[in-house]
Amino acid sequence: MISFLPLFCHPNPKKVLIVGGGDGGVAREVVKHPLVEEVHQIEIDERVVELSKQHLPSMACGFKNEKLKLTIGDGFEYMKNHKNEFDVIITDSSDPIGPAVSLFNESYYKLMKHALKEDGIVCSQGGSFWLDLSYIKKTMLGCKEHFPKVSYAITSVPSYPCGHIGFVIGSLNKNQKFVNSVNKIDNFDIEALNLKYYTPEVHDAAFALPRWVQQSLMSVLN
């Protein structure tokens, strides 16, 4: 979901950057999109990649695709040196504690904005509203400082605390519509994409929030 929500919202996601995602799972999904031509991934911990290849081969297979170029290093420094290059940036990080906390700050969204092309889209792990809704709102406000369209989407992940996780998604296109995706999956060979979870209906439902969550995020959602 962290891959296909932004990819199907963007009209032509040719060049994609993945920050984090050392298990290879996001790369495995991103390269499936027929419009994606280049995938660049920046992962700070080479050991994560090595262990994923050893113990999580069904996810790490994403590293084998010819579309992907993996760089071991710091995502902040990488984006400082790659401005106006990417159509979509996906941040697959751990929770906003410890070393990953900087990936949830306003300054990180500013950095991503400058690394994007016109009408670029970002999608980041956003945590669960069951665990810390106030932090989600803070993250979204940081995103909104630099992206005119911001939203929050949810999905089910049984292995995550609460069995639930969310994504903060932002677009530089002020007319962006996150629901009713731009590139309908029906326009492509669905079987060839080899998807087990994502559908157009699942895409739209991801943006349907419980009333109390919607009310809390009302000032940020647009």
Side-chain angles (χ1 to χ4, degrees):
M1 289 294 282
I2 200 173
S3 303
F4 291 116
L5 286 174
L7 289 178
F8 279 101
C9 281
H10 195 286
N12 195 16
K14 288 185 177 181
K15 191 171 183 179
V16 179
L17 174 65
I18 302 169
V19 180
D23 54 32
V26 172
R28 180 192 68 189
E29 298 304 305
V30 170
V31 297
K32 292 178 180 179
H33 197 293
L35 296 181
V36 171
E37 298 176 356
E38 293 181 50
V39 183
H40 296 259
Q41 181 167 355
I42 178 75
E43 166 59 53
I44 198 168
D45 193 341
E46 188 173 17
R47 186 67 173 150
V48 172
V49 177
E50 293 173 355
L51 290 174
S52 296
K53 289 179 178 179
Q54 182 179 351
H55 299 289
L56 301 170
S58 65
M59 298 182 74
C61 63
F63 294 122
K64 298 178 181 179
N65 193 279
E66 61 183 13
K67 293 182 182 180
L68 181 79
K69 179 181 179 182
L70 175 66
T71 300
I72 302 300
D74 185 287
F76 279 75
E77 292 303 315
Y78 184 91
M79 283 190 281
K80 287 177 184 178
N81 297 315
H82 293 80
K83 295 185 177 181
N84 305 116
E85 283 195 25
F86 303 101
D87 299 301
V88 172
I89 298 177
I90 299 168
T91 304
D92 182 18
S93 69
S94 53
D95 286 335
I97 54 174
V101 68
S102 59
L103 301 179
F104 294 78
N105 293 339
E106 171 270 331
S107 58
Y108 181 65
Y109 284 95
K110 180 179 181 180
L111 194 61
M112 287 195 288
K113 174 185 178 180
H114 291 303
L116 286 170
K117 296 178 184 177
E118 185 179 359
D119 294 340
I121 292 178
V122 295
C123 186
S124 302
Q125 197 269 87
S128 170
F129 58 66
W130 294 117
L131 298 176
D132 196 345
L133 183 58
S134 61
Y135 204 94
I136 291 170
K137 186 172 183 178
K138 177 185 176 183
T139 303
M140 292 178 69
L141 285 169
C143 180
K144 197 168 185 178
E145 287 286 321
H146 305 285
F147 292 82
K149 297 294 287 189
V150 177
S151 194
Y152 177 75
I154 56 176
T155 194
S156 297
V157 180
S159 58
Y160 191 77
C162 300
H164 166 276
I165 199 169
F167 312 104
V168 174
I169 183 168
S171 175
L172 293 176
N173 178 2
K174 64 181 181 180
N175 297 314
Q176 179 74 56
K177 295 184 182 299
F178 294 119
V179 177
N180 296 320
S181 53
V182 173
N183 282 321
K184 286 292 186 182
I185 195 172
D186 298 336
N187 296 334
F188 306 105
D189 185 343
I190 296 177
E191 292 302 319
L193 292 178
N194 188 29
L195 306 181
K196 295 182 179 179
Y197 191 93
Y198 181 91
T199 67
E201 293 79 15
V202 167
H203 178 109
D204 292 348
F207 294 94
L209 303 175
R211 185 167 180 264
W212 64 276
V213 176
Q214 192 174 43
Q215 287 179 322
S216 178
L217 300 179
M218 188 69 72
S219 62
V220 194
L221 292 169
N222 55 20

